[in-house]
Amino acid sequence: MRYLHTCYRVLDLERSIDFYTNKLGLELVRKVPIGEEATNAFIGVPGDPEPRLELTLNHDRQTPYELGEGYSHVAFAVEDLDALAERLERAGGVEFESRPHAISTGTRLFFVRDPDGYRIEFVERR
């Protein structure tokens, strides 16, 4: 068994694709219509052959989804946490939940929220 991907339902697919590709630097691997009801966009990390995030737009949805109290976040490992935070700040339109900081183990991290409010953690391990 191996992990494939996480799926989020989103309200505005193009806005979400823009966030993940143009702001976070991920890649749109493919967009697939699911009949007349929905469209899936698969987002990947550059160099990883398997897209790890599936964004689903249900065409008839008009209101934001409730995220639920059990969901927490997805996480990405990065080499230069400060450079990423600066790039996201310059890009604008990114909601920072926290700024780069160290935790007791020495690992550094910060959180942002995507356009639908999903939490994303960036981790720099030394």
Side-chain angles (χ1 to χ4, degrees):
M1 183 182 310
R2 63 187 178 93
Y3 175 77
L4 290 180
H5 64 262
T6 297
C7 178
Y8 291 158
R9 289 186 172 89
V10 300
L11 191 58
D12 182 335
L13 187 60
E14 295 309 313
R15 185 175 87 160
S16 293
I17 290 170
D18 177 68
F19 176 83
Y20 284 99
T21 59
N22 294 325
K23 293 191 170 124
L24 298 189
L26 302 177
E27 297 176 339
L28 175 62
V29 176
R30 65 184 175 274
K31 280 173 68 172
V32 181
I34 308 299
E36 296 292 318
E37 298 83 36
T39 301
N40 285 342
F42 291 89
I43 308 293
V45 174
D48 186 344
E50 189 72 46
R52 301 296 175 183
L53 182 61
E54 175 185 351
L55 304 174
T56 298
L57 171 69
N58 291 310
H59 297 165
D60 62 350
R61 184 71 180 208
Q62 300 297 316
T63 59
Y65 290 95
E66 291 187 31
L67 300 184
E69 63 184 34
Y71 170 79
S72 183
H73 65 277
V74 296
F76 293 94
V78 299
E79 291 184 22
D80 189 338
L81 200 68
D82 295 314
L84 175 60
E86 290 172 16
R87 185 170 56 97
L88 294 176
E89 187 72 43
R90 283 193 310 273
V94 177
E95 179 187 343
F96 283 80
E97 186 175 299
S98 64
R99 297 293 173 169
H101 64 281
I103 59 174
S104 62
T105 61
T107 297
R108 297 182 68 238
L109 57 90
F110 73 93
F111 283 87
V112 300
R113 289 191 179 267
D114 85 349
D116 290 277
Y118 294 108
R119 297 173 72 223
I120 303 165
E121 178 184 23
F122 297 100
V123 179
E124 177 187 279
R125 293 193 175 118
R126 295 184 177 197

